[in-house]
Amino acid sequence: SERLGDWAAAFAQAACEPAESLQPERLGRWAAGGPPVALVWGEQDRITPLAQAHALQRWMPGATLTVLPGVGHIPHIESPDAFAAALLDVLGPPR
């Protein structure tokens, strides 16, 4: 819808947090004591660039990263099939 487009444009123009603003120690502690972390990232993301995904992966040992080629900031909308495939790959077969 037109309103969604307005929201997306406003969001894309907002200032974003750089990777350096994250707290690596806190992320590392959280990841060590929590569930497995799977990052699914759009290769063309200009809101939270791929460099931020790599920083998160460094700070959370054991985290996996799936990069979706040609996809931007909203992978589940931009490429729902690739996003679903990435999720299913991480989750594994049903039990």
Side-chain angles (χ1 to χ4, degrees), residues 11-45:
F11 185 78
Q13 294 168 5
C16 295
E17 293 291 322
E20 296 78 32
S21 71
L22 299 172
Q23 298 177 358
E25 299 81 19
R26 179 181 281 174
L27 288 169
R29 283 192 309 273
W30 176 81
V37 175
L39 306 166
V40 179
W41 222 270
E43 177 186 47
Q44 302 300 316
D45 191 335

Side-chain angles (χ1 to χ4, degrees), residues 11-81:
F11 185 78
Q13 294 168 5
C16 295
E17 293 291 322
E20 296 78 32
S21 71
L22 299 172
Q23 298 177 358
E25 299 81 19
R26 179 181 281 174
L27 288 169
R29 283 192 309 273
W30 176 81
V37 175
L39 306 166
V40 179
W41 222 270
E43 177 186 47
Q44 302 300 316
D45 191 335
R46 300 293 179 248
I47 305 298
T48 49
L50 190 54
Q52 198 162 7
H54 290 294
L56 287 169
Q57 190 178 28
R58 273 194 317 275
W59 299 333
M60 295 187 289
T64 61
L65 172 61
T66 302
V67 178
L68 303 179
V71 175
H73 184 67
I74 312 173
H76 61 285
I77 293 174
E78 295 175 45
S79 187
D81 291 340

